[in-house]
Amino acid sequence: MPVKRFDVGSWLYSPVSRRRLDLSQFAEQRAAVQEICARVAAEGDGALREYGLMFDGWAPSDGEGFEVPAPELAAAARRLSPGDRAALEFAAQRIRAFHEQQVAAPAGGLPGLKLLTRPVRRAGLYAPGGRAAYPSTVLMTAIPARVAGVREVVLATPPRADGTVPAAILAAAHIAGVERVFRIGGAQAVAALAYGTASIPRVDVVAGPGNIYVTLAKREVFGSVGLDGIAGPTEVMVVADAGARPDFVAADLAAQLEHDPLAWAVLVTDSSRLADRVEEELDSLVAGLERAEIIRAATCCIVIADDLAQAMTIANDFAPEHLLIVADDATRLATQVENAGAVFVGPYATVPLGDYSAGPNHTLPTSGAARFGSPLGVHTFLKRTSVLSLNRGDLEMLRDATVRLAAMEGLTAHAHAVEVRLE
């Protein structure tokens, strides 16, 4: 298993750690995405059929649409094994309970001012296909939308070559409250949701992860539609001391790397012995894993820090999507976290729990975006509007400051609009 080793100095100034999501290297893909989005906007379903055949190996025949017939969602849930359905429902309950805590009470404020918080009318979700089906992504995107009060939630996901969608995806959609599922993938799915076609409704927000084409398409349509964010490859950083179990740490690194050849896993430790042991465990573990080829193609790094205080500085600078802290004083160290999408504390808080059933959202800011961004949540599907209901007395109270500020900016019509009401 190839692992890159760094000391702190070489890590901090390495381009490896500074530019995890460098979209400039995808000029060819971006040009293709721009063409796809433009054609979907102009040609609608005709372009979707062409791209469906080209990229998914399937397009609806005459008289058949992109939409999965609604009864199939409930039927898929019934067909699941009892254990699989119970796992989806258990995860859904915990995800719903966590996100219900994000619903804020109406904010108070100054007299005459009110803040309205309203859900968007329609949310469009994307669940990736290709290497694997991700029913957990359906739960993680649809449930916050429902908790926010979104009236219509639709889902796009790539079909198989025969036009079917994995039963687990359809069952998750049913459990999470998705109304409509469309069999389209990639950049064309994002464009269809953003612009609308004859058969696919235009949405107000697009949410959900995907490959580089999905990421570039979200960037392309931003402004026509709201987004949950621009996601880069998935990543984990583990901060560990000498007492951490090497097999546990290796397992967490491998679990994240198996997602994608572009994935990242970084161990930061003050123990050279732990670093050596983790590398040995990782070699042994990966050799027996089904997705070993993907793991070996991904980026795995070990950084040797002087102490754990320095390790936490590195973590805050890196701003990882997932941060796992395994140390004797992990709880105290967790209070020092400034930048991370999600934090996992202690040897038993393995990151896959957050991917599936713990409750917090697994759609997280990547590539350093945790410095300014938040996980997908109820807020993703809410918008806020201020309402001013003012009487003459309020106007008189605000007059002087408003008129003076308007004069400072040379906007005399602004000042007049205030003063004319008090003549």
Side-chain angles (χ1 to χ4, degrees):
M1 171 71 200
V3 177
K4 300 179 176 68
R5 287 260 196 155
F6 297 87
D7 59 30
V8 171
S10 60
W11 170 258
L12 291 177
Y13 297 102
S14 168
V16 174
S17 67
R18 289 290 174 181
R19 300 201 70 182
R20 285 116 77 194
L21 179 60
D22 181 8
L23 294 180
S24 66
Q25 67 182 297
F26 298 106
E28 183 179 340
Q29 292 90 335
R30 186 179 181 189
V33 165
Q34 288 174 327
E35 180 181 353
I36 290 169
C37 291
R39 285 198 57 197
V40 171
E43 303 170 28
D45 287 346
L48 291 182
R49 286 190 174 88
E50 181 179 328
Y51 289 128
L53 286 172
M54 186 183 304
F55 299 123
D56 297 325
W58 175 86
S61 57
D62 293 341
E64 184 183 21
F66 291 97
E67 186 171 358
V68 176
E72 290 190 19
L73 277 62
R78 290 193 298 270
R79 289 198 305 271
L80 281 186
S81 71
D84 286 350
R85 177 160 184 169
L88 283 173
E89 290 177 340
F90 175 80
Q93 184 274 326
R94 290 186 62 89
I95 295 164
R96 188 173 294 109
F98 178 84
H99 287 84
E100 283 173 347
Q101 299 177 57
Q102 298 178 2
V103 180
L110 297 170
L113 300 180
K114 183 165 66 171
L115 180 66
L116 291 181
T117 301
R118 295 285 186 268
V120 300
R121 288 188 293 178
R122 183 183 292 125
L125 313 178
Y126 186 81
R131 291 188 178 89
Y134 295 98
S136 60
T137 294
V138 179
L139 300 182
M140 293 286 184
T141 51
I143 290 173
R146 281 301 188 199
V147 171
V150 177
R151 280 182 275 172
E152 186 177 357
V153 179
V154 303
L155 172 72
T157 192
R160 300 185 181 107
D162 62 358
T164 61
V165 172
I169 294 286
L170 298 180
H174 173 71
I175 290 168
V178 174
E179 279 98 358
R180 306 175 72 184
V181 176
F182 295 97
R183 296 169 285 184
I184 49 172
Q188 63 270 26
V190 174
L193 293 170
Y195 302 134
T197 71
S199 63
I200 296 171
R202 179 170 63 91
V203 304
D204 303 304
V205 170
V206 172
N211 63 15
I212 187 61
Y213 291 94
V214 170
T215 296
L216 291 169
K218 290 170 76 173
R219 184 178 181 184
E220 184 69 21
V221 303
F222 177 67
S224 296
V225 70
L227 300 177
D228 57 336
I230 303 295
T234 191
E235 58 196 24
V236 64
M237 177 172 275
V238 181
V239 171
D241 66 7
R245 280 187 51 166
D247 56 337
F248 284 13
V249 175
D252 270 289
L253 299 177
Q256 209 62 34
L257 293 175
E258 76 170 339
H259 276 290
D260 192 313
L262 297 177
W264 276 74
V266 182
L267 166 63
V268 186
T269 179
D270 60 351
S271 168
S272 295
R273 175 168 171 72
L274 177 71
D276 294 338
R277 293 285 311 283
V278 167
E279 196 164 350
E280 293 168 3
E281 290 284 350
L282 199 54
D283 275 332
S284 175
L285 173 62
V286 171
L289 294 176
E290 291 182 9
R291 298 166 73 86
E293 185 176 347
I294 293 172
I295 296 171
R296 291 191 179 103
T299 300
C300 187
C301 304
I302 295 177
V303 182
I304 306 299
D306 294 338
D307 51 40
L308 291 184
Q310 189 179 63
M312 292 305 300
T313 299
I314 292 170
N316 283 320
D317 180 71
F318 192 73
E321 178 188 17
H322 306 90
L323 175 61
L324 171 60
I325 304 174
V326 186
D328 286 341
D329 58 349
T331 300
R332 181 188 64 81
L333 292 172
T335 66
Q336 300 175 12
V337 176
E338 297 174 4
N339 303 318
V343 182
F344 301 79
V345 183
Y348 299 106
T350 181
V351 171
L353 297 176
D355 287 341
Y356 296 114
S357 59
N361 210 283
H362 77 193
T363 305
L364 305 168
T366 62
S367 305
R371 293 179 297 110
F372 52 82
S374 301
L376 186 149
V378 172
H379 63 275
T380 304
F381 305 99
L382 296 175
K383 49 196 176 68
R384 295 167 182 83
T385 304
S386 60
V387 179
L388 281 71
S389 302
L390 305 179
N391 57 32
R392 184 180 178 91
D394 297 323
L395 180 62
E396 290 173 341
M397 182 268 295
L398 296 170
R399 172 187 178 176
D400 286 349
T402 302
V403 169
R404 283 183 176 274
L405 288 169
M408 289 167 63
E409 296 185 355
L411 300 176
T412 55
H414 281 60
H416 174 72
V418 174
E419 291 180 318
V420 70
R421 287 169 164 79
L422 296 173
E423 291 175 354

